[in-house]
Amino acid sequence: MMQPKKPVAKAPTVWRSIQAIVFASWLNVLLVFIPISWAMNFALPDQHTLIFVFAFLAIIPLAKLLAFATDELSLRVGQTLAGLLNATLGNAVELIVSIIALAKCQLTIVQSSLVGSILSNLLLVLGMCFFAGGLRFSEQGFGQSAVQLNSSLLTISVIAVLLPGAFHMALQGQPEYDELSTDYNILKTSHGVAIILLFIYASYLVFQLFSHKALYHDDNEDMQPTKEYTGQNPFRLHRTQRQLQTLSHPMDANPDVEPGTHSIASVETEVPEQPLMNLAVCLWLLVVVTVLVAVTAEFLVDSIDGLTSSGSINKEFVSIILLPIVGNAAEHVTAVTVSVKDKLTLSLGVAVGSSIQIALFVIPFIVTLGWIMNKPLTLLFDPLESIVLFLSVLTVNYVVQDGKSNWLEGMILMCLYLILGVTFWYYPGTQGIFPNC
């Protein structure tokens, strides 16, 4: 587990490491909003809209730096442990925001933001990956068995979310219905289901990282081939196509390899990986960024009530649509970029893998943490959110079941996300789901 897949070159100096952090991404220009959001929070605490906007913009580059530090750390460990690191730290921002909202008893925000993260990954990110890749390739292939397994895991998580709602609805019409006892029973049911979901997630990690890790590699026999456009590309991406052709198929590439697939012999070399940071700077970056995210996220969560009190924007839209962008913006860019380079398996790992982690780990973990903190957080989600989540997972399952993608499927997923955005813009949400904190 500790043996890197490729040899690692000599680590750079501290100064070179700091330079790599500064120039890691153009998103770093948004770091200027960290002191601005902090100053606004203390100097003008009643300006909730400005505090929300500045804190929102400040967290986006922090999420990118967190992903950058995780990637650098992954270079120094084995492939199995690297996968575990990415799985653990991949949704750190969402987890921090949820814990802060839970501590402040903003239970609706906790639930809605996590559902929104799943919807964002499954519809917006996956749709953009399919669409962007489809502009270059007629048809892109990926591992059918792994994706179907992931769809099954998402379906199980959706069932866990729907059952408390069915529990509640089934008892409402009964003459002996008692709201307090029903809420108590749903809370206890949620605690039990959360423990089971965490066990499923642990089993999934063992399956993905140990027993069946070859299933998630690009070179497994289940991979569907990628097909380029016959003749001229109708989207006329000539310049981009030539550049990417050079990247994907170098001059000495194996001519027997189909377009869009890769030969292990031509790709795998013993060229050492060059880290951009040394280990000490990498660990310090993880600690500092996590602290900055936690403080800034607290200001962000505190400003939501003031932002939505005017009625110009509702809490459902903020939680389901806006908050997921904070933690996922950098991830979205990475997923779309690699999909154009015909690395759709990696894109699926980001989009669907993140959704599985939120559904099977983050949500049950937050419910369990609420149990420890004596907060009445349950798996009884807003009815519309539960239905939307079920329909979205069902739609994605139909789209990926053939192991192939094209630009139209991507557009369908993106348009469905836009439909949900319009719906939640006008949806006021339901009150009284939770007992008092």
Side-chain angles (χ1 to χ4, degrees), residues 349-370:
V350 172
V352 182
S354 293
S355 299
I356 289 174
Q357 190 194 29
I358 293 170
L360 293 179
F361 173 70
V362 178
I363 290 178
F365 173 79
I366 290 293
V367 170
T368 307
L369 185 63

Side-chain angles (χ1 to χ4, degrees), residues 395-409:
T395 303
V396 170
N397 190 28
Y398 280 125
V399 168
V400 302
Q401 65 182 355
D402 60 349
K404 303 171 186 176
S405 70
N406 52 61
W407 67 265
L408 182 59
E409 290 178 337

Side-chain angles (χ1 to χ4, degrees), residues 276-288:
L276 299 176
M277 292 188 291
N278 63 46
L279 185 58
V281 174
C282 184
L283 293 174
W284 272 108
L285 180 62
L286 279 174
V287 173
V288 171

Side-chain angles (χ1 to χ4, degrees), residues 293-314:
V293 168
V295 176
T296 311
E298 183 172 4
F299 300 154
L300 182 78
V301 172
D302 285 340
S303 66
I304 290 177
D305 281 337
L307 173 70
T308 57
S309 61
S310 63
S312 56
I313 186 171
N314 63 61

Side-chain angles (χ1 to χ4, degrees), residues 146-168:
V147 172
Q148 283 298 312
L149 175 64
N150 292 344
S151 298
S152 300
L153 291 170
L154 284 171
T155 303
I156 290 172
S157 64
V158 170
I159 291 172
V161 168
L162 291 177
L163 285 179
F167 189 114
H168 190 262

Side-chain angles (χ1 to χ4, degrees), residues 70-83:
T70 304
D71 290 341
E72 284 295 305
L73 199 58
S74 299
L75 288 179
R76 296 170 167 85
V77 297
Q79 188 175 10
T80 300
L81 194 55

